[in-house]
Amino acid sequence: METFKADVAIVGAGGAGLRAAIAVAKKDPKLKIALISKVYPMRSHTVAAEGGAAGVVQAHDSLEHHFHDTVAGGDWLCEQDVVDYFVAHCTEEMVQLEHWGCPWSRKPDGHVNVRAFGGMKIERTWFAADKSGFHMLHTLFQTSLQFPSITRFDEHFCVDLLVEDGRAQGAVAINVASGEFVMIEAKSVVIATGGAGRVFRENTNGGIVTGDGMALAYRHGVPLRDMEFVQYHPTCMPGTGLLFTEACRGEGGFLVNKDGYRYLQDYGLGPAEPTPRNKAMELGPRDRLSQAFWYEQQKGRTIEGIHGSAVHLDLRHLGHKKLRERLPQICELAEEFMGIDPAKAPIPVRPAVHYTMGGILVDGNCASPLPGLYAAGECSSVGIHGANRLGSNSLSEICVFGKVAGDHAADFARSAKSAPSATLQKQADAAQMRALSLVRGNKGTERISVLRREMAETMERGCGIYRLGDEMQKTCNELENLRERYKRVKVDDTSSVFNTEWLLAIELGYQLQVAQAMAVSALNRKESRGAHQRLDDYKLRDDANYLMHTLATSAGDGPPVISYGEVKITHLPPGVRAYGAAGEAADAASKAKSAEGKAP
Amino acid sequence: MKAAPRTIRIEVLRYRPEQDKEPVVQGFDVPFTDDMSVLQGLQYIKDEFDGTLSFRWSCRMAICGSCGMMINGVPKLSCSTFLRDLYPNTVRVEALAHFPIERDLVIVLDDFITKLHKIKPYIIPKEPRALSQGEYLQTPEQMAQYEQFSACINCMLCYAACPQYGLNSSFIGPAAMALVHRYNLDNRDGGRAERDPYVHSEEGVFNCTAVGYCSEVCPKDVDPANAVNINKTESAKDYFLRFLKPKGAQA
């Protein structure tokens, strides 16, 4: 087996992985970095992010506002000290990207422009038209090319981590082009493999978003935190689930039902006004908007099509010119995929799974409980999203915490000694044998596509926008059964060169474990909070019993063991999550109260 | 109303280096609905008929650049090419032209990645700036100078369209040239002199024979042909100016 000796190994080369790699390279050029990705970096799913990245810039905005929006948006399940750090470093990271060439949209005077986004009190979303993720990813990738200490392992599929002496010491990967295995020794490891949205049926995610890194850490005993919180994005293409950015609404788009009525005003988000008001109506948070869709559907006020119910995203009043300038990709998607000119007709949309709020348990330094193992980006749970992420916080997250992970992994690597290669080699050989057993002498009977479809369907039934105890229980049972059947998974392709069927089989193994962590975590949370909404006996938030993080710890072949951890509350105690006019009234009341408190 | 699915014939050029001496055609009859792309047709084949068919894909929305292939002889993204537009004819799908085939529809991308490193596609600051100084100023007009060339998704369709690259793969090629141009035109950048030697070398812009097919197939309207030709003119100017300047002067 080929061996590469690195100081820091980074698994995943999307926004977070690249930012981490650059951080290590800048911190200490002597540290050797192995950057491992199952695709070429520019294919990573960061590329598909559209709307933008949050960072306070306007004079009438403040870090405290960003903090408040984020914590309340997350329904108080955020680590408040980590959110403090986050909001204080977003803008600096956005400026850093600007210095590296990111083509942020500008104001006439040459300064960076910002736009409104859901759940954000003041405009603070930096954007590059509606291709923000694309530009951020390419900027980071191209910038990374100048650092000779980064050795990339493009199209190398990670099959296991090396853990020796109770700490992470590297990874084992398949070189996809040849089918050969590579052992990458490292003194610290950063996981930055993104989310797991593909465990659901209708989703906005690319095919590669299969929770690989989450499953890798989980298998080595690292808990997955808050996995029940899965975000449905309210405006997606029926059938494919492709995303129409929240920026459509930030720019002034309306959501209307089959009668042309702006139905969000019926769900505590009003009043309906002709121009967007922040944190109201179409600029409410994603969980609330997806839930409102569900009720409209129940009331029979949606539009029925071949891919189920939909509502209309109406952008006509923005006009051709503004649409082309601010939302060019949205126009392209609507026209090429649906034959709709958004300047002339509304776009049918429905919610689809978009983002995994939970992930690998890490502290504010991106360190997991396993020494030497760090995680950043969507695969991690650093604690800023709580029970519901606000749009434009995740693109900032990959930069802020990509850097934190890189910095801390570099420090760890500088003080750590590597284990003798022979013991690591033994582990790598075992990982190779396990992976190869899927293709050598495979006598399986279960087709990958069948298992995958059944997994996605049961996740959608049990862990959708609204959840029921017995449905979730059924999903948990079905996932246990699917994991059993997975032991007999069938792989037809026995070749070595670019064997994608083999990789799909390994990915499915990752997905089933992550799905199980989600479903069992959901079943056990007996309350409703953020993206986890129950329609049975637990319709309300229950701070007395569930102002807690869920921790799912692997128990081998069986379902995870569930435990709970405390939520760090520094200065914003749980309050009512109110939007629209009700939200403004609540803000005014709390302002009056704090003024009263300050009076002599 | 739900229309009954129709069936379309998809012929795929297969090549499995461990078993095929040369590429072979394999045909499949695929049921499809009006909103299905060629990519979804291939996914259907992989899921239902033959798990061994290999192709790259990810985002499904024409931005990750993975799924470029020859569709009826034309370089296209398979995710944004729709079966309804090709029906009732047979669809012929092959790996992108001018690249070595790794396997089936998967090409070897190493050459482009090497070129990407050579062109220094990053800001080499004209004036260094600390984070505490905030962003560089760049007016919308200044951004418009390069914005189009920054939209390249590295899908390689332009290389499959470029006859010159087909003859001589050492040619820098359209996408890399567009990226050089993107950074050279950015008012924050001062790295042109570092990029010029490669651009003006034997592997550089002068290999282009101005066919313009690269811009025609570009799914993102980057117009690499324009980038190449502007640089040819610049390159020629530099070449002649060299004789007029005093010895030792900067180019």
Side-chain angles (χ1 to χ4, degrees):
Chain A
M1 194 185 300
E2 187 194 329
T3 303
F4 183 85
K5 283 182 196 292
D7 292 294
V8 181
I10 300 169
V11 186
L18 287 165
R19 184 68 190 86
I22 295 170
V24 178
K26 283 176 81 94
K27 182 151 195 160
D28 186 346
K30 290 193 296 296
L31 292 175
K32 274 171 81 176
I33 303 153
L35 182 56
I36 307 151
S37 170
K38 66 178 176 179
V39 291
Y40 282 97
M42 65 279 194
R43 315 301 187 209
S44 307
H45 196 61
T46 303
V47 82
E50 295 171 359
V56 168
V57 278
Q58 300 200 80
H60 63 292
D61 198 1
S62 71
L63 299 181
E64 188 55 29
H65 285 323
H66 190 187
F67 172 90
H68 191 286
D69 288 344
T70 300
V71 172
D75 222 348
W76 275 273
L77 211 62
C78 305
E79 292 291 282
Q80 294 189 5
D81 54 343
V82 181
V83 177
D84 259 332
Y85 180 88
F86 171 65
V87 299
H89 289 81
C90 285
T91 306
E92 170 183 298
E93 280 299 314
M94 296 304 106
V95 172
Q96 177 65 79
L97 279 174
E98 196 279 335
H99 288 192
W100 286 336
C102 189
W104 295 122
S105 296
R106 305 282 177 154
K107 294 190 286 196
D109 67 1
H111 284 287
V112 165
N113 202 357
V114 284
R115 64 162 44 129
F117 238 68
M120 297 284 192
K121 187 186 175 79
I122 291 163
E123 307 77 43
R124 61 174 76 97
T125 298
W126 298 47
F127 62 101
D130 58 354
K131 297 180 187 178
S132 308
F134 162 81
H135 281 300
M136 287 173 67
L137 181 68
H138 280 251
T139 298
L140 285 165
F141 174 47
Q142 289 163 12
T143 298
S144 80
L145 299 179
Q146 65 193 281
F147 299 102
S149 58
I150 301 174
T151 302
R152 283 203 328 276
F153 292 82
D154 295 340
E155 294 194 327
H156 279 63
F157 186 102
C158 189
V159 293
D160 207 352
L161 304 175
L162 298 172
V163 178
E164 182 67 27
D165 273 345
R167 60 186 175 90
Q169 304 220 33
V172 186
I174 301 169
N175 180 348
V176 178
S178 65
E180 285 161 2
F181 285 74
V182 188
M183 173 171 85
I184 292 145
E185 294 179 30
K187 293 167 188 161
S188 60
V189 178
V190 179
I191 297 185
T193 52
R198 297 292 294 189
V199 304
F200 285 80
R201 193 184 63 93
E202 213 168 21
N203 66 75
T204 65
N205 291 181
I208 56 176
V209 187
T210 49
D212 303 9
M214 294 176 182
L216 287 169
Y218 180 69
R219 287 176 185 182
H220 284 280
V222 178
L224 298 181
R225 182 166 72 180
D226 296 338
M227 290 300 285
E228 63 272 41
F229 299 102
V230 176
Q231 180 163 78
Y232 270 79
H233 193 292
T235 57
C236 308
M237 197 183 293
T240 58
L242 296 178
L243 176 69
F244 292 106
T245 172
E246 193 161 294
C248 293
R249 288 167 281 128
E251 297 294 344
F254 294 147
L255 277 174
V256 298
N257 65 16
K258 71 169 185 181
D259 305 317
Y261 174 68
R262 289 173 70 194
Y263 59 91
L264 293 172
Q265 60 191 294
D266 295 355
Y267 302 94
L269 290 155
E273 293 165 320
T275 50
R277 183 199 293 222
N278 295 338
K279 292 179 83 168
M281 290 298 288
E282 285 83 359
L283 290 179
R286 291 175 181 175
D287 54 344
R288 291 287 167 84
L289 266 60
S290 293
Q291 290 153 20
F293 170 87
W294 188 91
Y295 279 108
E296 283 297 291
Q297 190 179 17
Q298 297 298 304
K299 292 177 189 166
R301 303 203 298 193
T302 45
I303 300 135
E304 302 313 306
I306 57 164
H307 296 295
S309 312
V311 289
H312 274 151
L313 176 62
D314 193 346
L315 305 173
R316 287 176 294 180
H317 54 290
L318 302 182
H320 180 84
K321 188 168 172 283
K322 186 166 184 182
L323 285 169
R324 296 290 139 174
E325 184 201 322
R326 295 295 181 91
L327 303 165
Q329 188 174 213
I330 293 312
C331 294
E332 190 184 304
L333 279 175
E335 274 158 20
E336 286 187 20
F337 287 70
M338 304 172 89
I340 292 171
D341 176 355
K344 293 188 178 140
I347 308 167
V349 293
R350 54 178 282 120
V353 163
H354 182 55
Y355 190 87
T356 326
M357 260 79 73
I360 300 164
L361 169 65
V362 293
D363 64 16
N365 297 331
C366 296
S368 82
L370 178 66
L373 185 70
Y374 297 80
E378 191 175 346
C379 70
S380 72
S381 170
V382 74
I384 62 165
H385 304 311
N388 172 62
R389 175 177 72 83
L390 292 189
S392 77
N393 267 353
S394 64
L395 283 183
S396 303
E397 176 189 20
I398 59 177
C399 297
V400 171
F401 292 104
K403 177 174 190 293
V404 169
D407 282 345
H408 286 269
D411 284 341
F412 190 97
R414 283 194 287 196
S415 63
K417 282 206 179 72
S418 37
S421 292
T423 47
L424 296 180
Q425 186 66 56
K426 220 183 245 176
Q427 280 193 36
D429 289 341
Q432 177 176 8
M433 288 308 290
R434 278 195 301 278
L436 281 175
S437 70
L438 282 166
V439 278
R440 292 204 182 144
N442 178 310
K443 295 201 175 57
T445 49
E446 298 279 0
R447 265 194 93 75
I448 296 169
S449 57
V450 173
L451 297 178
R452 196 175 53 215
R453 195 176 307 138
E454 288 186 31
M455 167 189 70
E457 283 171 0
T458 193
M459 285 304 285
E460 191 166 85
R461 268 198 306 277
C463 298
I465 298 174
Y466 279 102
R467 301 165 174 183
L468 291 164
D470 53 353
E471 287 279 0
M472 283 185 278
Q473 183 63 60
K474 220 167 128 193
T475 294
C476 291
N477 299 345
E478 282 172 4
L479 289 170
E480 252 191 277
N481 183 257
L482 284 167
R483 280 191 70 190
E484 194 50 44
R485 286 167 62 192
Y486 173 75
K487 291 177 183 160
R488 300 184 298 277
V489 72
K490 179 172 173 240
V491 179
D492 293 329
D493 195 340
T494 55
S495 62
S496 307
V497 176
F498 226 94
N499 184 341
T500 49
E501 198 188 23
W502 179 25
L503 306 183
L504 285 173
I506 302 171
E507 281 174 346
L508 180 61
Y510 293 151
Q511 287 179 298
L512 284 168
Q513 278 184 286
V514 171
Q516 202 175 25
M518 287 173 173
V520 177
S521 299
L523 178 66
N524 281 278
R525 181 173 284 275
K526 296 188 176 69
E527 66 155 354
S528 291
R529 184 187 296 271
H532 175 70
Q533 292 293 317
R534 299 180 62 137
L535 288 171
D536 46 13
D537 294 337
Y538 311 106
K539 288 194 187 72
L540 299 175
R541 196 172 86 191
D542 176 3
D543 287 335
N545 294 302
Y546 284 98
L547 187 56
M548 302 282 260
H549 293 298
T550 307
L551 300 171
T553 308
S554 172
D557 281 347
V561 173
I562 299 295
S563 59
Y564 293 90
E566 277 187 29
V567 178
K568 179 90 171 177
I569 307 239
T570 55
H571 64 282
L572 187 64
V576 180
R577 241 184 115 204
Y579 293 92
E584 287 180 12
D587 280 355
S590 91
K591 222 175 249 170
K593 202 171 155 198
S594 75
E596 215 172 85
K598 276 176 201 154
Chain B
M1 213 179 63
K2 200 165 181 165
R6 294 177 285 180
T7 299
I8 193 165
R9 180 88 178 158
I10 301 183
E11 289 181 354
V12 188
L13 193 69
R14 302 290 309 267
Y15 176 62
R16 289 146 292 187
E18 291 150 287
Q19 67 177 80
D20 302 327
K21 280 214 176 85
E22 54 189 46
V24 288
V25 176
Q26 198 180 354
F28 303 91
D29 292 311
V30 179
F32 75 102
T33 49
D34 270 356
D35 56 355
M36 271 174 73
S37 61
V38 172
L39 173 64
Q40 283 171 296
L42 294 172
Q43 288 168 329
Y44 190 92
I45 293 170
K46 190 170 181 69
D47 284 353
E48 308 300 330
F49 301 142
D50 187 346
T52 69
L53 178 64
S54 278
F55 47 95
R56 290 188 180 104
W57 68 279
S58 182
C59 78
R60 311 170 285 139
M61 52 185 277
I63 193 75
C64 79
S66 304
C67 70
M69 50 190 74
M70 306 302 286
I71 299 175
N72 293 338
V74 180
K76 293 250 192 203
L77 294 179
S78 63
C79 71
S80 60
T81 306
F82 293 89
L83 292 171
R84 60 174 183 258
D85 299 329
L86 307 169
Y87 184 80
N89 299 321
T90 295
V91 187
R92 170 77 170 230
V93 182
E94 298 166 38
L96 281 178
H98 305 156
F99 290 92
I101 301 178
E102 190 102 72
R103 158 165 185 177
D104 295 340
L105 302 171
V106 177
I107 55 159
V108 179
L109 208 62
D110 300 5
D111 176 56
F112 177 72
I113 297 295
T114 307
K115 283 173 177 154
L116 209 49
H117 279 264
K118 278 167 93 169
I119 60 173
K120 304 190 178 198
Y122 37 81
I123 296 279
I124 299 169
K126 195 186 282 168
E127 289 164 28
R129 195 171 174 91
L131 288 181
S132 57
Q133 293 173 277
E135 77 265 44
Y136 288 96
L137 291 187
Q138 182 167 77
T139 63
E141 293 72 35
Q142 286 172 315
M143 197 166 110
Q145 294 287 311
Y146 72 86
E147 194 182 8
Q148 176 183 18
F149 303 109
S150 73
C152 171
I153 61 173
N154 303 354
C155 66
M156 301 294 106
L157 301 193
C158 54
Y159 285 79
C162 173
Q164 202 53 37
Y165 185 71
L167 292 173
N168 170 18
S169 65
S170 70
F171 170 41
I172 183 171
M177 201 52 233
L179 207 49
V180 166
H181 203 50
R182 174 252 174 277
Y183 281 99
N184 284 347
L185 290 177
D186 192 315
N187 69 307
R188 296 168 289 191
D189 184 84
R192 184 181 174 142
E194 289 189 43
R195 296 184 194 104
D196 268 354
Y198 179 42
V199 173
H200 301 166
S201 74
E202 281 179 19
E203 298 165 5
V205 277
F206 281 112
N207 287 276
C208 168
T209 48
V211 173
Y213 192 31
C214 53
S215 291
E216 229 173 278
V217 302
C218 176
K220 295 289 159 188
D221 300 323
V222 173
D223 199 2
N226 185 19
V228 172
N229 285 299
I230 292 169
N231 277 277
K232 264 194 212 167
T233 321
E234 294 293 317
S235 196
K237 257 197 288 188
D238 282 1
Y239 181 79
F240 291 112
L241 283 172
R242 223 177 295 164
F243 299 105
L244 304 174
K245 280 185 183 160
K247 250 187 176 170
Q250 291 282 313

